[in-house]
Amino acid sequence: MGNLFHVFKDAKGFYLYDQGINSVKVIDDKTYAMLLEIENSKKSIDYTSPLIKSLQNEGFLIPNQITDVKHYAIDYIEELLQRKLTTLVLQITQKCNLRCEYCSFTHNDGNYRLHSNKTMDLKIAKKSVDFLKKNSVDNTHVSISFYGGEPFLEFEKIREIVEYANLVFVGKEIIYNVTTNATVLTDKSLRFIEDNNFNLSISIDGNKYVNDKKRRFHIGKNSVYDKVKAAIEKIAVEYPTLFSKLSINMVMDPSEDFKNYYEIINDIPELSRIRITTNICGDEHSATKNVYTTNFIAGYQYCEFISYLRYFDRYTVSSKDNIFDNDVAREVYSITNSMTSHNVSQVSYPGGPCIPGYRKLFITTNGDMFPCEKLNEKSRIFKIGTVDNGFDYNSIRRLLQLAKITEEQCKKCWAFTLCISCLLNCDGKHRLSQSKRLSKCKEVKSLAEYKLRKYVMYNNIISETSRLSFMEV
């Protein structure tokens, strides 16, 4: 039986996280030292100890061993997928007019697809829309997203699909989404997506220097940045309704000077009125791993902290040099929700895996179904059906229960509830890989502790003198 708790400290105090009730509590230094020794040595808790008994009186460290790992949806997965589908993601094309340095579709180790000239046949697209219609009867609205490649290389096909979906879903709200590099947008395409309830996300990765270093045209040497900047400015002036639904996706290279990212708002002031989502460029499929410079780390942490203070109304000075406000708001919401106190039952399931196809159903150009566009299309283990034959429920159940391959380790892990390990972490090509899933455990635990530290920080910002209930000694 594992000790399903974790202790940590910061400059303000010592804390106990109890996985059994998904709660954090401030503890004193003596209790911290005792529990740290137990956690590190993996010794059993002495439940006769006065310190332990006092914690148990408050609901902490109550013995509660997880006996079975079972996803809550496994017994009614068919009902969910036959009536409550939410989002369709159509891989409208694999073509792209850019060759971004960090994109796995530009270059990888050979285990993943590359850019190609494949496009989705209109018949497959219409069958996909029909499938969403058939399997979303309980929903008041649905969402259809267009994915590439660069989707607007196939704008006419997008237009035909939207017009078809508007007829099929008459009487039900449809939300359309598309992410674009914004280099082939025209007045015709902009007018159409504004008129059809589109959320538009544009990719731009910092100022002209760093963006054009990372994002280049496949043919020609023109500036990608200049094209994107012009598109954003045009939308702001000529398409105000679309501009209100515009967001920016920014991929950051931590080896660069951080000013290359926050200075972009000085050059494109419109970005100060747009939601920006940032990510560190992935290096999972690259031979070259990320290098974090001191300058990048310092700038990143400073701007992020200012966004936290602004979010909690502790910093009211207007600032155009910060790009993390949206990220911080999303993170606070996510972490706060994940820290809802509850008793973990003996039959439970770790956090991380989604229900394949439920929240999002990705359909490739040839009509194959996958749970998510982030998964490797060449790994057939992740295929969950086709638009011609529908869902493969055996495959879906196998993926839904992926934690079974590491069941014994999961049942003994203090990060059980806070785990974020999903299908991405167990790609064995033709099978779910136990070794790959376990290899991510150290990183997953670090991220779980990150969540706990952030949660404590939120509460410290909210109340600098009188702590919230969970933080009382």
Side-chain angles (χ1 to χ4, degrees):
M1 177 175 175
N3 291 317
L4 303 182
F5 70 86
H6 180 61
V7 291
F8 60 101
K9 62 180 180 178
D10 63 14
K12 288 184 172 288
F14 305 89
Y15 310 93
L16 163 66
Y17 168 71
D18 187 336
Q19 184 272 330
I21 55 175
N22 195 41
S23 295
V24 177
K25 174 181 174 53
V26 168
I27 54 178
D28 58 33
D29 57 347
K30 182 179 178 181
T31 304
Y32 171 81
M34 180 187 71
L35 292 177
L36 180 64
E37 181 181 1
I38 293 173
E39 183 176 6
N40 289 340
S41 66
K42 295 182 172 57
K43 294 179 180 178
S44 297
I45 296 175
D46 178 9
Y47 290 104
T48 64
S49 163
L51 280 177
I52 300 299
K53 287 184 176 181
S54 67
L55 289 170
Q56 287 185 322
N57 289 336
E58 299 180 60
F60 286 78
L61 302 183
I62 305 296
N64 180 30
Q65 181 65 27
I66 297 170
T67 59
D68 188 20
V69 169
K70 180 182 178 181
H71 198 284
Y72 73 91
I74 195 69
D75 293 329
Y76 54 95
I77 186 63
E78 292 189 24
E79 178 185 348
L80 281 176
L81 297 182
Q82 289 173 4
R83 302 185 62 86
K84 300 177 184 294
L85 284 193
T86 303
T87 299
L88 190 67
V89 181
L90 298 178
Q91 187 186 63
I92 198 71
T93 182
Q94 293 184 0
K95 292 187 295 184
C96 188
N97 61 327
L98 301 189
R99 291 297 182 267
C100 299
E101 183 180 280
Y102 53 81
C103 179
S104 62
F105 300 146
T106 297
H107 48 73
N108 57 61
D109 58 11
N111 290 316
Y112 301 82
R113 79 160 177 88
L114 295 171
H115 292 304
S116 77
N117 289 323
K118 291 181 180 179
T119 62
M120 178 176 284
D121 187 276
L122 188 58
K123 291 181 180 179
I124 291 177
K126 287 184 175 180
K127 284 183 180 179
S128 301
V129 172
D130 291 339
F131 188 84
L132 177 63
K133 168 70 173 178
K134 176 185 175 183
N135 292 274
S136 62
V137 293
D138 287 348
N139 295 336
T140 58
H141 68 274
V142 294
S143 173
I144 298 178
S145 299
F146 296 96
Y147 182 78
E150 168 48 45
F152 283 99
L153 292 174
E154 294 292 327
F155 168 66
E156 287 303 319
K157 194 166 290 182
I158 291 175
R159 180 185 59 77
E160 290 185 81
I161 295 168
V162 169
E163 290 176 349
Y164 179 74
N166 287 343
L167 292 174
V168 169
F169 285 98
V170 64
K172 181 175 288 190
E173 181 186 8
I174 312 174
I175 300 169
Y176 295 105
N177 305 284
V178 62
T179 298
T180 176
N181 60 40
T183 62
V184 293
L185 294 173
T186 64
D187 281 311
K188 182 179 180 181
S189 60
L190 289 171
R191 191 175 303 110
F192 180 83
I193 63 177
E194 183 176 55
D195 290 343
N196 282 276
N197 197 28
F198 266 77
N199 293 313
L200 178 65
S201 179
I202 290 179
S203 298
I204 186 169
D205 296 344
N207 63 17
K208 182 170 181 175
Y209 163 75
V210 72
N211 182 85
D212 286 352
K213 181 179 175 182
K214 306 296 180 183
R215 301 173 65 80
R216 305 184 184 95
F217 283 107
H218 181 41
I219 300 174
K221 296 184 178 181
N222 292 335
S223 168
V224 172
Y225 180 87
D226 288 346
K227 291 282 288 186
V228 178
K229 177 183 177 183
I232 294 171
E233 291 171 343
K234 182 181 185 67
I235 294 169
V237 174
E238 300 179 29
Y239 301 93
T241 301
L242 181 60
F243 184 76
S244 70
K245 299 180 180 180
L246 176 62
S247 62
I248 295 296
N249 182 53
M250 185 180 297
V251 177
M252 297 179 169
D253 181 348
S255 68
E256 298 290 345
D257 190 328
F258 190 75
K259 72 177 183 179
N260 290 322
Y261 298 104
Y262 71 74
E263 283 185 348
I264 188 176
I265 295 182
N266 296 327
D267 190 40
I268 311 178
E270 291 83 1
L271 297 187
S272 65
R273 296 183 284 135
I274 299 174
R275 289 180 294 109
I276 299 176
T277 299
T278 67
N279 295 283
I280 302 298
C281 59
D283 60 1
E284 295 87 354
H285 313 310
S286 174
T288 305
K289 300 304 179 183
N290 286 336
V291 175
Y292 286 76
T293 64
T294 302
N295 172 281
F296 181 89
I297 294 172
Y300 188 103
Q301 291 179 340
Y302 172 78
C303 287
E304 183 185 51
F305 183 66
I306 293 299
S307 281
Y308 279 120
L309 294 180
R310 185 182 294 113
Y311 180 89
F312 290 107
D313 296 324
R314 291 293 187 269
Y315 185 85
T316 57
V317 177
S318 177
S319 174
K320 289 187 177 182
D321 65 356
N322 203 286
I323 56 180
F324 291 129
D325 285 1
N326 179 58
D327 287 339
V328 163
R330 291 169 62 232
E331 183 183 75
V332 172
Y333 177 82
S334 174
I335 291 179
T336 302
N337 280 353
S338 72
M339 290 303 300
T340 302
S341 298
H342 65 275
N343 292 321
V344 176
S345 64
Q346 290 186 315
V347 178
S348 194
Y349 200 78
C354 62
I355 301 174
Y358 176 44
R359 296 293 184 189
K360 184 188 295 184
L361 178 61
F362 176 56
I363 300 183
T364 65
T365 54
N366 64 357
D368 288 340
M369 295 177 173
F370 288 82
C372 175
E373 74 277 7
K374 296 178 182 178
L375 293 172
N376 184 3
E377 298 161 46
K378 295 176 71 173
S379 293
R380 309 318 291 174
I381 187 67
F382 297 139
K383 182 178 173 181
I384 59 173
T386 68
V387 291
D388 288 328
N389 300 317
F391 284 126
D392 179 345
Y393 287 104
N394 288 330
S395 293
I396 290 170
R397 289 189 181 92
R398 180 171 61 250
L399 298 181
L400 187 60
Q401 286 285 81
L402 75 94
K404 278 289 188 182
I405 64 175
T406 54
E407 179 171 13
E408 293 309 311
Q409 293 88 345
C410 289
K411 289 192 294 188
K412 300 173 184 177
C413 181
W414 67 264
F416 185 91
T417 300
L418 300 178
C419 182
I420 60 168
S421 185
C422 71
L423 292 170
L424 281 169
N425 301 136
C426 54
D427 184 359
K429 306 305 176 189
H430 303 296
R431 61 181 178 82
L432 296 175
S433 172
Q434 181 192 63
S435 60
K436 286 191 174 183
R437 180 169 166 83
L438 291 175
S439 71
K440 288 288 184 178
C441 288
K442 183 177 180 180
E443 178 183 345
V444 166
K445 289 178 182 178
S446 294
L447 289 171
E449 183 171 309
Y450 170 86
K451 285 184 180 181
L452 297 175
R453 291 181 179 278
K454 289 290 186 179
Y455 185 58
V456 168
M457 184 191 79
Y458 301 159
N459 285 274
N460 283 335
I461 293 176
I462 291 172
S463 180
E464 297 175 6
T465 55
S466 58
R467 301 177 186 270
L468 298 186
S469 60
F470 85 84
M471 298 181 66
E472 295 174 353
V473 178

